[in-house]
Amino acid sequence: MDNEIRNKVIFSVLFVLGIVLLVGGSTYAIFTWSSDNIKYTGSTECFEVSYTKGADIGSNENKAILNPSYSDEGGLSSTIVIDYNSNCNINAVGKLYIDTLDTTSSNLFKEGLLNYQVLEDGVVTDLKGSIMSNDTIEIVLNNIKNVSNYTVYVWLDYNKIENEHAASSYYGKIRAEVSQIGE
């Protein structure tokens, strides 16, 4: 009977020791594992977003007057510069936001009256539309890879202005963010 108890004790000790070795080895493997197949790309230092005259659409020092215009260039504007660090090798997507503030006159929210247009490096894009509420418009900027200037114009369409729109005010800001996509 002594041999049977001794065998059970030895088996139990070996079993516990085996469990300890298995857990310890697995833990060590997890903490020291590496692979050549892992690709780390991206950095928080790949993009810099700056506002050339502040985030306010119009002027950030004096109240800007939004006069009726036949085109975007007669409106108020602000520019965002997205600078891509050429040492980075990532693909990115950006988002441009037009925030129309609560202090904007609500009688301007009529289809085709209060409009926005985005220019990229001075070239007109298809990123345009009407501002219909004091809300945020989100515009996606695909595959950013270089230094890009995005100018946002806001203007009142001269052909749609009526007497009721006189002395109306627009207050808005722009902002942008950039994030990595894929590899």
Side-chain angles (χ1 to χ4, degrees):
M1 188 102 134
D2 281 337
N3 281 342
E4 188 177 324
I5 294 174
R6 187 170 34 117
N7 287 342
K8 285 183 181 182
V9 169
I10 291 172
F11 177 76
S12 296
V13 168
L14 289 175
F15 180 76
V16 170
L17 184 60
I19 296 290
V20 168
L21 288 173
L22 181 65
V23 170
S26 297
T27 303
Y28 178 79
I30 289 170
F31 284 118
T32 60
W33 178 77
S34 66
S35 171
D36 293 336
N37 294 329
I38 296 175
K39 294 180 182 176
Y40 172 75
T41 58
S43 166
T44 57
E45 298 176 9
C46 286
F47 294 94
E48 180 180 338
V49 176
S50 58
Y51 303 87
T52 60
K53 64 178 186 177
D56 289 337
I57 296 174
S59 170
N60 57 336
E61 293 180 10
N62 301 315
K63 182 178 177 182
I65 298 172
L66 183 61
N67 291 317
S69 173
Y70 289 105
S71 72
D72 55 346
E73 293 177 358
L76 303 176
S77 69
S78 193
T79 301
I80 292 178
V81 178
I82 299 177
D83 188 4
Y84 175 72
N85 181 340
S86 61
N87 293 328
C88 295
N89 187 23
I90 63 172
N91 295 319
V93 64
K95 289 186 181 176
L96 182 66
Y97 300 95
I98 303 172
D99 298 319
T100 298
L101 306 180
D102 291 341
T103 50
T104 296
S105 300
S106 61
N107 65 339
L108 295 178
F109 302 138
K110 175 182 166 187
E111 182 71 39
L113 176 62
L114 182 60
N115 302 298
Y116 69 90
Q117 172 70 58
V118 178
L119 278 67
E120 181 178 358
D121 296 324
V123 177
V124 175
T125 68
D126 62 349
L127 305 173
K128 61 184 178 182
S130 290
I131 299 173
M132 300 295 295
S133 66
N134 57 351
D135 205 358
T136 297
I137 296 171
E138 179 182 301
I139 302 166
V140 176
L141 309 169
N142 290 313
N143 204 18
I144 298 171
K145 273 291 208 177
N146 297 308
V147 176
S148 297
N149 294 295
Y150 294 95
T151 302
V152 176
Y153 283 94
V154 173
W155 81 97
L156 287 172
D157 187 334
Y158 186 84
N159 296 315
K160 300 210 177 200
I161 197 88
E162 297 174 6
N163 287 338
E164 69 186 61
H165 304 119
S168 296
S169 300
Y170 174 79
Y171 299 93
K173 296 181 178 294
I174 61 172
R175 56 191 168 92
E177 64 183 37
V178 182
S179 57
Q180 177 181 347
I181 55 173
E183 288 187 44

